[in-house]
Amino acid sequence: MSRNTNILVCGIGGQGVMTATEILAEAALALGFDAKKTEVAGMSQRGGVVVSHLRFGDKVLSPQIAPGEADLLVGFEAAETLRWVHMLRPGAPVLTNTSRLSPPVVECGVFDYPDDPVGQLRALGVPLQAFDAAEIALEFGDIRLGNTVMLGAMSDHLPFPAAVLREAVAARFAHKKPGLLEMNMRAFDAGRERAAALVGQACVPA
């Protein structure tokens, strides 16, 4: 990764995109990095598209990631991942949730949903890890755990140990209702395990 690490997280409102980015920023700050983030949310409370920029390193002047400079793209929804893939620097990895969640602009017929967004990503030849985070979340009884699953999946793509991000997740849920912390820890570990299982498939174009 570059001296300043640039992470772009995208998805649909309600998937926890901004919460996940906040936890990532907290992990970076805990290690003494300068960190800045910004979001663009279109009707995020109604299922609109959401994208978060996070930059951290020795000194960060702006939170905005320029096209072609993202070190990691994490998509909570596959079509949104495809829409933002131009932000990646050459050779940078992509993680995406494969479960479909169409934004209102698709449901209203303004835009068409891609026939096979994951296939299109693979055809571009980007290093890709794609899996159904919603399915994993539902195994633990709550689809809202999908953002924690994705945090676990990205934890080995960061310039610091996965345990640091795991601790940041734990800190976020430590004082919530009983059982929530354990559920999130299990979801984080499951996401990390799923991504690790897909390592051999990454970087292989369709």
Side-chain angles (χ1 to χ4, degrees):
M1 288 187 176
S2 58
R3 186 179 181 191
N4 284 337
T5 298
N6 303 321
I7 301 175
L8 193 75
V9 185
C10 61
I12 304 297
Q15 289 188 296
V17 170
M18 288 187 279
T19 298
T21 310
E22 287 173 5
I23 294 172
L24 278 167
E26 288 162 6
L29 289 168
L31 290 172
F33 290 115
D34 185 18
K36 290 182 173 64
K37 68 180 183 68
T38 187
E39 291 89 22
V40 177
M43 303 188 335
S44 62
Q45 299 303 313
R46 300 185 181 181
V49 298
V50 182
V51 60
S52 285
H53 297 236
L54 172 64
R55 304 185 69 227
F56 61 88
D58 294 335
K59 181 65 176 177
V60 178
L61 299 178
S62 169
Q64 195 77 26
I65 301 171
E69 294 187 358
D71 296 300
L72 175 64
L73 173 61
V74 181
F76 284 28
E77 204 286 325
E80 284 304 299
T81 309
L82 179 63
R83 196 159 72 91
W84 290 97
V85 74
H86 68 283
M87 298 293 288
L88 283 173
R89 64 169 174 78
V94 179
L95 281 81
T96 190
N97 174 23
T98 59
S99 59
R100 173 172 171 164
L101 184 60
S102 301
V105 290
V106 170
E107 298 301 327
C108 294
V110 178
F111 292 103
D112 293 328
Y113 193 92
D115 291 335
D116 182 10
V118 174
Q120 288 178 252
L121 286 165
R122 288 201 171 99
L124 291 172
V126 296
L128 177 66
Q129 293 174 311
F131 63 94
D132 193 336
E135 180 182 51
I136 296 173
L138 287 172
E139 290 175 6
F140 298 109
D142 194 334
I143 196 169
R144 292 175 296 178
L145 292 168
N147 64 340
T148 305
V149 172
M150 294 303 294
L151 282 166
M154 72 178 86
S155 63
D156 286 319
H157 291 276
L158 304 173
F160 50 76
V164 175
L165 183 56
R166 193 178 191 275
E167 288 169 7
V169 174
R172 173 60 67 103
F173 296 101
H175 304 294
K176 304 290 184 180
K177 63 183 180 180
L180 194 58
L181 173 60
E182 181 183 355
M183 288 173 63
N184 277 276
M185 293 297 92
R186 292 172 64 196
F188 182 95
D189 293 340
R192 188 181 180 201
E193 290 170 6
R194 181 63 61 89
L198 293 172
V199 167
Q201 299 176 32
C203 306
V204 180

